[in-house]
Amino acid sequence: MLITAPGGPDVLQGRRVPIPMPADDELQIRVHAAGINRHDCNQRQRGPTPAHSDIPGLEVAGVVMAVGSRVTGWAMGDKVCALTDGGGYAQYAVAPATHAFHVPTGLDLVAAAALPEALFTVWHNFFNVAALGPGESVLIHGGTSGVGAIAIQLLKALGHRVFATCGSERKVATAEQLGATRAFNYHEDDFAEGVLAATARRGVDVILDMSGGRYSVPNVRALARRGRLVHLSPGKGADFQVPLRDLMAKEAKVTGSLLRGLPNEEKTLIAHRLRDVAWPLVASGVVRPLIHGTWPLGDAARAHATMERGDHVGKLVLDCQSTDALATAQRAR
């Protein structure tokens, strides 16, 4: 599925393109499923660009079909999930072997496709950017998003106290079922006061925010002294605005990150840590993605529309080998 122009979901169109061949350090993957991320919608709205593939999709799961000449530890036929630099909304994709993971027994490929982007995002932002330390507490905005659901499970398993915000009572209940100590409905609750009340007025050490500057003031209020606020998205134009004295009083740090732009070497280091720490938790079932729904590849536009409505709970995934997906690809000229 290609981004054919800037615009809404309907600009995603099926096209025949050459099957990508792996570089020396890459795997060629027959894609069975591809995770959908907010970044894909943002890229679609901006339209085609020379900087990135016009085929969106930053994470896939499938079967290894070819192995680059410098790759070790992988063989044709291996089940794999991987972080890609685009190209995931397709029947074949390539990915650096160092950004790929063997799919554990008992984890299906739809679930596996929902893991790489969330795991890389969670690890990089909490442990690299925010330097989350042992026993520190966190607040996650969007607790039932693909990233939020994985973050709650992983951080709780690693011994951190986790709070979350969500957009409905149903999502609040889901976040708490995933392991959040408390979740708050940001439409109705004063989440900053809730966090302070639950932490004996101390606040949390790290906040992960996907909504831009919308909650700048309550975020800083909810931070502990020397807390860190990390942004994943610029949001929809809301600037970060907080009285400077409030930041100074808490010695707070405000920052953010863009995962896609990280050098491959840094992503490889993150993957090493994920294999050591997170992947055993995935294999044992302690950490599992929350799947909202699956769409055939040919229905990528409908899946994007669902994401942009914002009422989903968990991850949206494309089935890239379904009959509908094959028919769509064959009809596209």
Side-chain angles (χ1 to χ4, degrees):
M1 300 297 290
L2 269 72
I3 299 171
T4 57
D10 60 318
V11 304
L12 292 171
Q13 298 291 326
R15 295 287 189 272
R16 287 185 180 274
V17 297
I19 293 175
M21 301 305 294
D24 291 344
D25 59 350
E26 291 182 328
L27 302 175
Q28 182 195 67
I29 301 167
R30 184 176 185 188
V31 180
H32 283 246
I36 298 173
N37 292 281
R38 179 66 61 175
H39 180 282
D40 304 338
C41 296
N42 294 341
Q43 181 183 355
R44 187 207 73 229
Q45 291 164 2
R46 292 192 300 268
T49 170
H52 298 295
S53 170
D54 294 336
I55 302 173
L58 298 176
E59 56 186 344
V60 300
V63 176
V64 174
M65 301 301 291
V67 177
S69 62
R70 295 203 303 267
V71 172
T72 59
W74 289 95
M76 289 180 60
D78 285 348
K79 290 185 177 180
V80 60
C81 62
L83 189 75
T84 69
D85 187 26
Y89 291 15
Q91 292 172 294
Y92 291 86
V94 295
T98 54
H99 302 169
F101 303 84
H102 290 274
V103 176
T105 302
L107 186 69
D108 65 57
L109 291 174
V110 168
L115 283 169
E117 175 76 8
L119 283 171
F120 274 82
T121 297
V122 170
W123 194 273
H124 178 59
N125 285 282
F126 280 107
F127 295 104
N128 293 348
V129 177
L132 183 66
E136 289 193 318
S137 58
V138 307
L139 169 65
I140 301 163
H141 289 298
T144 58
S145 65
V147 168
I150 291 295
I152 290 172
Q153 296 174 77
L154 178 60
L155 296 178
K156 182 187 179 184
L158 296 178
H160 300 279
R161 196 177 186 198
V162 181
F163 299 91
T165 67
C166 308
S168 70
E169 291 305 312
R170 178 171 67 107
K171 292 182 179 183
V172 163
T174 299
E176 292 181 348
Q177 289 166 7
L178 289 170
T181 299
R182 279 285 311 276
F184 307 96
N185 183 336
Y186 54 71
H187 292 303
E188 299 176 0
D189 300 330
D190 181 345
F191 69 81
E193 180 56 33
V195 165
L196 291 169
T199 58
R201 314 308 295 179
R202 179 183 180 276
V204 292
D205 299 288
V206 176
I207 297 176
L208 188 68
D209 193 339
M210 310 170 199
S211 61
R214 181 178 178 185
Y215 299 116
S216 303
V217 171
N219 275 342
V220 172
R221 183 169 166 239
L223 277 179
R225 181 170 178 261
R226 295 182 178 170
R228 290 84 75 197
L229 170 57
V230 184
H231 290 95
L232 290 188
S233 168
K236 296 181 179 179
D239 292 333
F240 184 85
Q241 292 184 334
V242 172
L244 187 56
R245 186 176 184 82
D246 292 351
L247 285 177
M248 295 167 65
K250 290 199 172 182
E251 299 180 15
K253 295 181 180 179
V254 180
T255 184
S257 75
L258 295 172
L259 180 66
R260 190 174 192 177
L262 286 183
N264 275 351
E265 295 78 8
E266 291 189 33
K267 292 178 184 176
T268 296
L269 292 175
I270 296 169
H272 286 326
R273 297 299 294 147
L274 290 174
R275 287 191 194 92
D276 290 343
V277 179
W279 213 243
L281 297 171
V282 171
S284 66
V286 172
V287 174
R288 287 293 169 99
L290 178 65
I291 305 296
H292 176 83
T294 305
W295 287 259
L297 178 60
D299 281 344
R302 189 159 60 93
H304 271 220
T306 299
M307 172 162 278
E308 291 179 337
R309 282 197 301 273
D311 54 2
H312 59 286
V313 178
K315 194 82 173 184
L316 313 183
V317 181
L318 294 176
D319 177 352
C320 297
Q321 294 294 328
S322 68
T323 302
D324 288 347
L326 291 169
T328 299
Q330 289 166 356
R331 286 197 303 268
R333 300 292 179 182

